[in-house]
Amino acid sequence: MTRSQLHPLRAVVGAVCLLLSACTVGAADEKQAHPVFDVPVEQQPRQALLATQAARTARFTQSLTFTSPDGDTVQTSTGRVDFPGGRAAGSIAWTLAEGLPEEAKDALLGTRLGAGRSPAGVRVAVEPDTIRLRAGEAGYWLSYAGASAAFGGDDAIDVLRGAESAFGGTLLETVSGVQDVKESPAGDGGRTYRAKLTAFNALRMFSKDLRAELTSDIDPNGTATPVTLGLSADAEGRITRAEADLSALLDRKDSALAGTTGLRAVLTLGGFGASEPAMPAPSERTLDAKKATTAVGEVAEGACADLTTGTRILDMVVSVPCAGPHEARVYAHEAFGARYPGDRKAKRMARAACDEAYGSAPAAWTAEGAKKDHYWYTWPGEGRWGVGAEPVVTCYVLTR
């Protein structure tokens, strides 16, 4: 009786074991689809971008090289990005070729009042609602909240924020628009890709004023100026390298960059899922750009300013206390007549007005000039002459 009860139990157990064994073997044999490499090849670069973003954080370095007979001028961007958090912290630095024409330097770095141009280095911190930058040797961050249209209509601040990565201006901004994709296997289990971009898509990396120096082909559907993009993805499908030959964009004969013969971008990514961006500490001095940045013509006589705002708008400055470090001191504003006198005469009038005002300004103001008896002045061009108010020449000394 006992024996007859045990036999069916053995049979049931044996059947369960066979069933479990069969299920296990089936699961091992079933190959899981790769989220990047098993989709149609035209979609793989976009899927690789999504896999990169899914890593949450990454380290990046991008070099943008402008080649000319004077040598290479290189912009290097580096930092860390938090993809889902919309945050990034990094820096942008320029190395200028010796002998590069002044107008080319102005086009690349942006002009500013006084001697020289915008600093060759700037620190950047991006958050979902704020872009902060710290230019050159400034002892503070400028905080820009919202769109840069509120600061003069230029997009030089907005371009610091990307659509595909919190840190803008990199090749990640172009990946979704690739065409004619070709794929090759890589030895590490990853893939490499070659694809085409339209000029319109490639230009998403640049601010509006720099785009205007590069090409006139801004048709969103235009293919007359194709750009070649190369991508490398690791075994997980994450983008580790992107490179593009952007030389085809250099087609403006009247550009300040007309002497530039080549333009190449190389982006590398790594450190996926590691530490998050190191944002500015709460203790670091921060100025609200809406309150601190202003047109130099609005700075009161005797007041002081720094000359770099990051907006690439020539007459915009940062209003700072004279008791602390500052780059310039305004010593006079002189009004002109309502009728534009022409470029040459306007310049002569501005210089004469500031020369006269220099002699009558308080000595404490003019004595701050880094060069004795040396002053600077700025006046509106024809397009802005009398716009919003009477045209005014502003006179100032550089203090360092």
Side-chain angles (χ1 to χ4, degrees):
M1 182 71 178
T2 303
R3 186 176 300 164
S4 64
Q5 290 176 333
L6 289 174
H7 287 171
L9 179 61
R10 291 193 186 108
V12 170
V13 171
V16 170
C17 290
L18 288 173
L19 179 61
L20 290 175
S21 176
C23 289
T24 303
V25 172
D29 288 344
E30 184 178 345
K31 181 182 178 182
Q32 297 295 317
H34 195 287
V36 177
F37 304 148
D38 287 341
V39 303
V41 67
E42 288 287 342
Q43 300 174 21
Q44 289 184 27
R46 172 60 180 169
Q47 290 301 119
L49 176 60
L50 294 177
T52 304
Q53 294 167 339
R56 300 190 64 82
T57 62
R59 178 186 65 251
F60 70 90
T61 298
Q62 176 173 278
S63 62
L64 190 61
T65 304
F66 295 79
T67 299
S68 73
D70 303 295
D72 288 345
T73 291
V74 183
Q75 181 202 65
T76 303
S77 302
T78 185
R80 291 199 64 85
V81 61
D82 168 8
F83 290 106
R87 303 184 310 144
S91 62
I92 302 173
W94 286 90
T95 303
L96 301 179
E98 289 188 27
L100 188 70
E102 294 300 307
E103 63 176 2
K105 294 178 183 177
D106 289 344
L108 294 175
L109 271 68
T111 56
R112 69 173 191 174
L113 297 177
R117 53 196 54 82
S118 298
V122 62
R123 292 166 60 189
V124 179
V126 182
E127 295 177 284
D129 57 351
T130 307
I131 297 175
R132 283 182 281 181
L133 60 91
R134 189 167 182 169
E137 298 178 356
Y140 53 83
W141 292 86
L142 274 177
S143 177
Y144 289 89
S148 66
F151 308 96
D154 189 88
D155 70 344
I157 301 298
D158 283 345
V159 79
L160 297 174
R161 182 195 305 280
E164 304 294 359
S165 162
F167 199 103
T170 74
L171 285 170
L172 291 182
E173 301 303 309
T174 71
V175 173
S176 293
V178 295
Q179 303 174 359
D180 191 22
V181 181
K182 302 292 189 295
E183 173 225 20
S184 300
D188 59 358
R191 296 288 190 277
T192 61
Y193 302 93
R194 302 293 292 178
K196 298 292 185 182
L197 295 172
T198 64
F200 180 85
N201 198 351
L203 289 171
R204 296 177 62 186
M205 296 171 55
F206 304 97
S207 61
K208 183 170 60 177
D209 61 332
L210 193 50
R211 291 198 299 266
E213 297 290 347
L214 293 175
T215 183
S216 55
D217 181 14
I218 58 174
D219 179 0
N221 300 311
T223 57
T225 313
V227 171
T228 302
L229 176 70
L231 293 174
S232 297
D234 63 14
E236 303 296 321
R238 302 170 301 199
I239 297 172
T240 57
R241 180 181 174 89
E243 55 185 301
D245 182 356
L246 305 170
S247 302
L249 300 180
L250 300 166
D251 65 1
R252 290 194 73 103
K253 305 304 180 186
D254 58 346
S255 168
L257 303 177
T260 304
T261 57
L263 178 55
R264 181 178 179 83
V266 177
L267 170 70
T268 58
L269 293 162
F272 298 113
S275 58
E276 295 189 348
M279 308 304 288
S283 59
E284 295 188 61
R285 184 183 175 199
T286 300
L287 302 181
D288 182 347
K290 284 186 178 180
K291 298 177 181 178
T293 60
T294 184
V296 69
E298 299 298 323
V299 177
E301 292 182 356
C304 299
D306 284 343
L307 302 178
T308 302
T309 63
T311 62
R312 297 173 68 99
I313 300 174
L314 177 61
D315 63 351
M316 293 292 286
V317 298
V318 184
S319 181
V320 295
C322 292
H326 52 275
E327 294 180 316
R329 187 163 197 158
V330 172
Y331 68 84
H333 295 298
E334 299 292 337
F336 285 165
R339 184 175 179 181
Y340 184 65
D343 292 345
R344 291 185 179 180
K345 189 173 182 179
K347 183 176 181 179
R348 289 198 302 268
M349 291 167 57
R351 179 170 182 172
C354 289
D355 191 64
E356 182 177 352
Y358 188 87
S360 59
W365 298 356
T366 56
E368 278 203 292
K371 291 184 179 181
K372 185 178 180 181
D373 298 331
H374 195 85
Y375 62 84
W376 293 80
Y377 52 97
T378 183
W379 68 98
E382 183 176 10
R384 299 181 61 188
W385 192 271
V387 175
E390 62 183 358
V392 172
V393 57
T394 297
C395 317
Y396 59 99
V397 294
L398 296 182
T399 58
R400 57 184 168 94

